[in-house]
Structures are given as structure tokens and as C-alpha cells.
Amino acid sequence: MKRFKTALLCLLVGAGLQVNAQSKKPVYLDDRMSIEQRVESALSLMTLEEKVALCHAQSKFSSHGVPRLGIPEIWMSDGPHGVREEIQWDSWGNAGFTNDSCTAYPALTCLAATFNPSLSLAYGVAIGEEARYRRKDILLGPGVNIYRTPMNGRNFEYMGEDPYLASIMVVPYIKGVQQSGVAACVKHYALNNQEEWRGHINVNLSDRALYEIYLPAFKAAVEEGQVWSIMGSYNQLRGQHCCHNDLLLNKILKTDWKFDGAVVTDWGGAHDTKQAALNGLDIEMGSYTNGLSSKATFGYEDYFLARPFLDMLKKGEAPVSVVDDKARRVLRLIFRTAMTPNRPYGRFVCADHSETARKVAEEGIVLLKNDKQFFPAPVGKYQRIVVVGENATRSVTEGGGSSTLKVKYEVSPLQGLIAKYGKDHVVYAQGYASGPSLYDREEPSKLNTDSLFKAAVETAKNADVVYFVGGLNKNHFQDAEGGDRKTYNLPFEQDKLIEAILKVNKNVAVILISGNAVAMPWEKAVPAIVQSWYLGSEGGNAIANVLSGAVNPSGKLPFSFPKKLEDNAAHSFGRLSYPGDSINQYYKEDILVGYRWFDTKKIAPQFAFGYGLSYTSFEYGKIATDKPAYKADETIKISFTLKNTGKVDGAEAVQVYASQPKASVMRPAKELKAFQKVFLKAGETQTVSLEVKVKDMAFYNEKTMSWTVEPGEFVLRNAASAADVKSSVSIQIK
Ligand code: GLC
């Protein structure tokens, strides 16, 4: 052994490796050295070719390491709510592994709807362990693009319309994932707020909208979450593709926010070598595809940051410092993941991962309407429950694009309801069909729908209650990547079916499974409405637990439900606002996104941001602050009592909104600046304490290009939702 070590030492010294005297190991291999020391040591040993190789893919989901130095390659995997099945080396096809069926967690709209950061941590830990166990170094999530339009096919993957909610909920998820030595990859940076023309649409918007609405969640991911990687988006911002955009990457991300991780393209998001070299891109993936199509004729050496980049460096058209910065960031990512000492081993598909999935689902389900105590429906309350709707049995974990999953199991709503109520009390009628293919037709063939329709109405006639389980699904033009919705209404004639059922039975609860708002022409006619998200493997159990009262719902909407599409801000300024003219798009609503628009324009939404009912009730005390006036660098301490005035324990996501009545610039009527999920036993009262930093009430000043808090009056309101303010208090900012 001694001779071997001596030989290795000579070899390493011969290769000019810096050898650490005591450990006789090159510094970059020495776990006791700092990451920065290891980075510099490795970089000093690498050739130009090896540095360039770090900057681009070697396969669909992996990028180079440095084989000669024993530095491992980087393996990446989707997605934000479960670890995707193994994909083939060089195509989008699955690799046919038999060890990669994962736990599916709820989609991130559901996580946001919990308004519970501690659940976000548990979620990140669980999914991070699964990514680690599957030997992935980067998990390609979470997504935090803002819900600007209900037509966006990928809203289900994101955390809603409010930058503050998304900023708070994204951080623990990232920390949880990275605990397993797996890099989170917050995406899609930035302004990927629709799927229509996603590959090139050039977004134009004001600096205020950019900084106040679309960047905060990414800034929090970097500054609070210390995220190790970030994914550039497909679209353009002000004429430059976001995967190599000087303003977004060099200026805001790497200079202002001091991001020290690696920028990864979306798959096919790079388009130009010079820009990729000079505008802050670090790892180029999936070039010549759009993330959905198959590989083009080009090979990996043809990538923009492959041979063309090497040629550019050799000709001196870019300084070596450019590739050194990229290589440092990629090496840092490798030393934080694949080469980190004491890296945990992860776990895959285990009871507590399922429990986490179920808890997020249960806490994210939103009770929107519940007349005459329709719910809870404990076992025995209704003897004959007729379940209608394809979403009661349809898998919602597969499809939807890159977040599609091959799951170990998925409890459907019907399975969950039968397990809860017993098969003698549950009768199922499919009611409608959404067509077999991913690219389903809007209007399935008349034959099967007529028979399904009639059978459902017939079955509903003598039901005690009808649970209509409908909504959208992961098919194209629905809640799916690569395309936007074609209509704001429920598809497949669900509205007609609900109306027909109501004619024969008034006791209809509509349970919507979707990641987006939909029109609800039947809203007044039905006694109960539940917004249930794409809930993952435990979905059916979570739905059954909430409907039966085993769990008291506490979810609140992370985005507004407009009554009609035209009420939505992005749809109030013609085609150039949404979807754009296929080249350019203008965010004409500016900072008035979501409830900011409904409040300021005094348009009543169908259901408001932050809205959700409980099986109990809560009474809010008057909001108070610890002082009447504050300086700009202080923190406002807010308190008010909250009482559970009902008969069952429950949880309430209380919200605090701030406004500046007399600002020198246009400001929304109010903006969410604090929230907290409060658990109260029946009859219990708690004093809720929240904090708002004065600096967080600033607006982005386009003149000074910095954040400004103007002196004067500010109003703080405590609320149960954006449309349900309980009380207010005025303070002075000096
Ligand atoms: C897709 C998606 C992105 C995903 C990537 C890899 O096109 O936009 O979210 O992580 O490509 O599948």
C-alpha cells in the first residue's frame, strides 16, 4: 500500500498537481479544504478544453466533469414536484429503468396555497432526498414565474400571482433540497409567464413591474435561499434571450444579487455564442431543441459554448477570464454536490415522503364555498354519494410536459373516496371524456360523450349528494407546458353536465382539480366548491380526508379567480398585452397584476387572492403596531388577536397588506407584506405577531434606479383575504 501511495504521489506531483503535504492529496480532492480553495486548485490544473467542456451538455440531462482529474460530471433531472424517470442519453424518450418510480408531491400551486413555509421546508427535504437517491446533482425546480394570465399552461408549476408569497415559500423548499447535497435550480429566470411563443417572445415591461413583481421570488431564492443554480428562460427580455441576457445575468443576478452559482439554460434556450460567452451563461443544455422536440442533427460539440466558444477563446476574441468565471461556478456547484464531504445518501419512496405529500395536499386544498354545512361529510352523513367526472379516476401525475412523472403509486380521488366511505356508498359515473391523446381534441367524438353524459345525469338522480370531480388536466392546451389554454371555461362540456345534473339533484359539490382559475357559470347554483390542485401520489387520500372532515381545510388561493377572462389585467389591453404579436409583447398592466388589479380597478373577482374557508370560523382583533412612527431602517411589529370561534380545531392564514395612500408614483391599492398560518384549537385565542421591515414597503424608483421609501403615511391592514380586510392602522414613516 505504501508503494502505491508513493507512486500515486509521484504521478500527481509529476502532473504538477498541488499536493497538500500532510494528506499527500491535491488540494481539490482534500475535503478539509474550503470550497474556494478546491475550486482554485482544480481550475489551475485544467486545460482550456476541459474548462469549455464544463459549460455545455454531454447528453440530454448531464454535463461534463473532468475525467482526467476525477471530477465527476453533473447529472440533472426534472422536476419541481417529483423526480422524473430516467431519460435516454440522447432523446426525450424514457430510458426504461425499473428503479425510478417516484413519490409525486403536489404541484407548487398547492404548496403556495398552504401559506405554510414550514411545509415548504418539509417538501424540499423530501423531494431532495429522492433526487439524491436517484443520484441527481441538480433538481430542475422550483418554478416561481408569476401568475399573470389564467391562460398560461404552466401556472400549475408555479406559486401564484403575488411576489411576496412566492418569495417566502420558495426559500425553505430550496434549503430543503440542498440539505441533501442536491442543487435546486430556481426557474425560469425570468418573465416566462406564458407558453405561447415561449421560445422567443420578446417581453417589454417597465422597470417597476420587473423589479416589484417578476424578480422578487428569484431574488429571495438567491439572497435568502442561497440557491446553487438558476435556469434562464426561453423568452427574450428587451431584445435579448434570457439565457444570455446582460441585464438579467451579469448586472442583476451576478453583480447586484451576488449569485455565486451556475446559470443553466432552459433546454434549447441558448442561441448565440458571443452572447452566451459574454452575457453570463454558465451551462448550455438542450440546444437546438425546444425542450419538447427531439435532438436536432447537431452534436454536443456544435453547441454554442462548445467548439465555437473554444475557437473564440483561442482567437483571443474573449479573454480566458470569461471561461474561468464559468468554470469556477460549475466547479463550485460540483464541490457543493457530487464532491461535498459527508453527502447524505437520500431516500426514495418511503412512508414519510408520502406523509409529506399528503400533508401538503391536505393543507393546500381550498374550500371556496360551503353553504348549509354541505361539508364536512363524515362517514354516515350521506348514504349514497355519486362521484361524477373523469378527474376522479384520471392520473394527474403524468403529462403536463417536463414535470411529468412515473410514480410508484397515485391514489385517485375515487379510490380515496371509496376507501373513506366504503364501496357500498360510492357510485361512479365518468360523465365526460377528455380524449385519449396528449394532443386531445377540444371536442371529443360525440358518441362517447352523449352516453357518458346521459348515464351521469341518470345516476345522479337518486343520489344523496353528487361530488363532481372535474377541472382541467395535463393535456396540451390545458395545464401543460408548451402551449396556453384556448378557453377560460372548463373544457369537455363540463359546464353543461353540471347544469344538467343540477336539474335532477341540487346537492352538487364541485371539486376542481386544476392548476389554474376557470369560469364558474354554476357558482351560484351549487352549494359547495373545492379547489383541489394536482395533488400527487396521495391526492385521493387528501381529498377524502378534507371532504369527510378528518382534516379541516386551511388552504387559501395563491391567485385570484376572475369572474370572466376580460376582468384579468393582462387581458385588458388587447393582443399586444397577451399573447403579444408573436414577436413582441407589452406588459401594459405594469405592476397591477392579480389582486393589485382587482383592488385598484374595483373589479370583484369570483374568488379573491388569499381566500379560503374552514370548517370553523375565525375572529380577527384590531391590528396594532408597536409604535406610531418609524424610521426607514426599522421593523414594524404588528399584532392582533385571532380567535377560533367555531367547534373544531383549525388553521388560518392571516395576511397583512400595506399601502401608501399619497405616494408620488402610482401604487397598488394594497400589497401583501406579511402572512402567518395560525393553528387554533376550538375556542382558543392567540395574539398573532408579525413583522414588516419598513424597507420592504418601498417601490422601485425608475428615476434613481433604486428602491425608495417615501416619508409619510402608510396603512397596514390585517385580512383573511385580499377581499376581506378586517381592520387597519395608520403609521408614519419619517
Ligand atoms: C423544459 C422546461 C424546463 C425543464 C427543461 C428540461 O422545456 O421548460 O422547465 O426543466 O426543459 O426538461
Side-chain angles (χ1 to χ4, degrees):
M1 189 53 191
K2 185 134 171 50
R3 269 182 309 120
F4 169 73
K5 271 185 148 184
T6 313
L8 173 68
L9 193 55
C10 301
L11 178 76
L12 292 173
V13 172
L17 301 186
Q18 291 156 311
V19 175
N20 188 304
Q22 298 86 327
S23 73
K24 297 181 183 41
K25 263 193 235 175
V27 167
Y28 73 92
L29 286 177
D30 187 336
D31 290 353
R32 294 165 309 162
M33 309 307 280
S34 75
I35 285 185
E36 295 316 309
Q37 288 170 313
R38 299 177 74 184
V39 165
E40 293 311 316
S41 156
L43 189 73
S44 68
L45 297 165
M46 288 165 65
T47 65
L48 190 63
E49 286 74 8
E50 287 167 336
K51 294 175 185 175
V52 167
L54 288 184
C55 303
H56 64 84
Q58 68 169 358
S59 76
K60 249 312 170 231
F61 280 93
S62 71
S63 59
H64 292 273
V66 191
R68 177 176 66 86
L69 298 179
I71 294 175
E73 40 201 38
I74 296 177
W75 280 89
M76 315 171 190
S77 172
D78 291 312
H81 42 256
V83 183
R84 187 175 185 177
E85 63 188 328
E86 200 65 24
I87 301 291
Q88 287 175 13
W89 182 267
D90 202 14
S91 89
W92 289 102
N94 72 65
F97 280 31
T98 55
N99 64 343
D100 57 354
S101 298
C102 70
T103 305
Y105 299 90
L108 296 189
T109 36
C110 180
L111 177 59
T114 69
F115 278 73
N116 186 343
S118 60
L119 269 187
S120 181
L121 176 63
Y123 190 125
V125 169
I127 194 172
E129 289 181 345
E130 301 225 347
R132 171 67 190 108
Y133 191 84
R134 291 266 296 103
R135 300 179 184 288
K136 304 303 175 184
D137 305 303
I138 304 181
L139 179 71
L140 301 168
V144 288
N145 291 102
I146 290 294
Y147 189 107
R148 174 176 182 258
T149 161
M151 308 311 273
N152 177 20
R154 287 188 90 172
N155 279 329
F156 74 96
E157 284 189 52
Y158 307 143
M159 296 190 178
E161 73 190 23
D162 181 80
Y164 179 78
L165 174 63
S167 301
I168 298 295
M169 294 302 285
V170 73
V171 170
Y173 177 110
I174 290 166
K175 292 210 173 283
V177 168
Q178 297 186 163
Q179 268 180 12
S180 286
V182 173
C185 184
V186 67
K187 69 189 187 180
H188 306 84
Y189 182 66
L191 299 153
N192 181 183
N193 302 103
Q194 67 188 46
E195 291 298 286
E196 188 72 7
W197 303 311
R198 70 172 181 172
H200 63 272
I201 193 74
N202 180 31
V203 176
N204 302 277
L205 79 169
S206 72
D207 276 351
R208 283 197 69 192
L210 177 65
Y211 284 95
E212 293 186 27
I213 304 296
Y214 297 100
L215 292 185
F218 291 103
K219 182 176 184 186
V222 171
E223 294 190 338
E224 315 301 324
Q226 278 86 46
V227 72
W228 293 340
S229 68
I230 188 167
M231 186 188 293
S233 62
Y234 281 124
N235 55 283
Q236 297 186 68
L237 167 63
R238 298 177 183 163
Q240 263 188 1
H241 275 280
C242 294
C243 286
H244 33 69
N245 183 296
D246 185 48
L247 171 66
L248 281 179
L249 300 180
N250 285 340
K251 162 98 179 67
I252 296 172
L253 179 68
K254 294 182 173 180
T255 305
D256 297 349
W257 298 350
K258 300 183 178 49
F259 176 66
D260 69 359
V263 176
V264 184
T265 61
D266 198 339
W267 267 237
H271 299 274
D272 177 281
T273 290
K274 193 159 186 302
Q275 288 195 29
L278 302 179
N279 288 354
L281 176 60
D282 299 308
I283 308 179
E284 175 189 357
M285 300 300 292
S287 285
Y288 314 112
T289 72
N290 62 4
L292 296 170
S293 55
S294 59
K295 174 180 85 65
T297 49
F298 298 84
Y300 296 103
E301 282 315 304
D302 299 310
Y303 272 38
F304 299 100
L305 286 184
R307 192 183 313 108
F309 183 37
L310 183 60
D311 294 347
M312 195 177 159
L313 291 161
K314 286 186 168 170
K315 284 185 230 155
E317 289 164 3
V320 173
S321 60
V322 162
V323 71
D324 281 353
D325 178 61
K326 297 180 197 303
R328 280 196 178 90
R329 291 170 180 276
V330 179
L331 287 167
R332 192 170 296 130
L333 191 142
I334 294 172
F335 286 119
R336 285 171 165 162
T337 56
M339 293 182 82
T340 187
N342 319 312
R343 192 183 192 191
Y345 299 105
R347 286 183 300 160
F348 198 59
V349 187
C350 49
D352 53 1
H353 286 183
S354 293
E355 188 187 343
T356 297
R358 199 190 69 254
K359 282 177 75 68
V360 173
E362 288 170 347
E363 274 205 39
I365 289 171
V366 185
L367 180 60
L368 292 174
K369 185 176 182 185
N370 190 29
D371 288 355
K372 299 193 286 296
Q373 308 284 315
F374 188 99
F375 290 122
V379 175
K381 180 173 179 180
Y382 305 125
Q383 292 312 312
R384 182 172 158 76
I385 299 169
V386 168
V387 177
V388 175
E390 190 191 61
N391 273 357
T393 56
R394 181 190 182 93
S395 165
V396 291
T397 55
E398 60 183 336
S402 58
S403 64
T404 186
L405 295 173
K406 175 167 82 175
V407 295
K408 194 73 174 177
Y409 72 95
E410 178 181 3
V411 179
S412 73
L414 182 64
Q415 287 167 332
L417 292 167
I418 289 172
K420 179 65 70 181
Y421 292 107
K423 63 182 182 356
D424 299 341
H425 301 285
V426 178
V427 176
Y428 177 58
Q430 185 178 335
Y432 68 87
S434 63
S437 76
L438 270 185
Y439 289 80
D440 67 300
R441 307 169 302 283
E442 279 302 295
E443 294 300 327
S445 66
K446 292 307 277 178
L447 176 67
N448 60 0
T449 44
D450 278 356
S451 54
L452 290 174
F453 191 105
K454 289 196 181 83
V457 175
E458 193 55 36
T459 310
K461 271 191 182 122
N462 56 2
D464 292 342
V465 289
V466 176
Y467 292 175
F468 183 90
V469 184
L472 304 176
N473 63 39
K474 299 289 190 72
N475 277 356
H476 205 50
F477 301 129
Q478 297 235 18
D479 283 332
E481 170 182 344
D484 282 349
R485 293 165 66 194
K486 297 293 180 205
T487 167
Y488 182 52
N489 297 322
L490 283 174
F492 321 123
E493 302 184 315
Q494 291 176 68
D495 291 340
K496 250 177 76 183
L497 179 54
I498 292 169
E499 303 292 352
I501 293 171
L502 282 165
K503 287 198 177 66
V504 301
N505 194 324
K506 290 279 165 257
N507 300 325
V508 179
V510 174
I511 292 109
L512 292 177
I513 294 183
S514 74
N516 246 322
V518 295
M520 299 179 177
W522 30 263
E523 190 273 331
K524 294 221 174 333
V526 300
I529 304 171
V530 177
Q531 172 60 33
S532 166
W533 314 99
Y534 296 115
L535 299 175
S537 294
E538 284 289 322
N541 292 332
I543 288 173
N545 283 340
V546 167
L547 300 189
S548 65
V551 166
N552 185 358
S554 59
K556 294 203 167 183
L557 293 179
F559 51 80
S560 317
F561 276 53
K563 285 199 171 94
K564 54 188 190 308
L565 189 57
E566 304 69 58
D567 290 350
N568 169 281
H571 295 262
S572 304
F573 296 92
R575 276 185 60 75
L576 273 185
S577 165
Y578 177 85
D581 64 7
S582 87
I583 304 295
N584 279 298
Q585 171 174 40
Y586 299 85
Y587 284 13
K588 298 190 173 188
E589 77 282 3
D590 200 73
I591 58 174
L592 299 181
V593 175
Y595 68 84
R596 289 170 166 79
W597 173 262
F598 292 111
D599 287 352
T600 307
K601 300 295 180 186
K602 297 189 177 17
I603 299 170
Q606 184 71 63
F607 292 107
F609 171 84
Y611 174 82
L613 298 174
S614 170
Y615 294 147
T616 186
S617 49
F618 296 96
E619 189 179 275
Y620 286 63
K622 174 120 180 46
I623 186 171
T625 57
D626 60 331
K627 295 192 303 187
Y630 297 85
K631 293 200 288 295
D633 61 353
E634 288 189 293
T635 296
I636 305 162
K637 293 191 181 349
I638 293 158
S639 63
F640 52 89
T641 58
L642 184 74
K643 180 173 185 178
N644 177 341
T645 50
K647 297 185 180 45
V648 290
D649 301 352
E652 172 76 349
V654 302
Q655 299 143 53
V656 172
Y657 294 84
S659 56
Q660 183 187 358
K662 299 183 194 63
S664 65
V665 294
M666 179 274 286
R667 298 200 75 173
K670 62 179 184 292
E671 300 180 281
L672 183 69
K673 293 298 173 188
F675 66 85
Q676 192 178 120
K677 190 145 202 179
V678 186
F679 292 80
L680 291 173
K681 296 230 166 295
E684 183 188 359
T685 298
Q686 257 184 41
T687 297
V688 183
S689 305
L690 304 107
E691 294 190 346
V692 173
K693 293 190 180 68
V694 171
K695 72 175 177 59
D696 290 340
M697 298 197 301
F699 66 85
Y700 185 78
N701 187 327
E702 294 180 335
K703 294 193 193 67
T704 61
M705 295 179 57
S706 64
W707 292 87
T708 298
V709 177
E710 288 173 327
E713 183 196 17
F714 280 76
V715 179
L716 297 169
R717 294 175 172 82
N718 61 349
S721 78
D724 184 3
V725 170
K726 300 297 184 181
S727 68
S728 65
V729 62
S730 250
I731 58 170
Q732 285 297 323
I733 303 298
K734 285 176 257 169

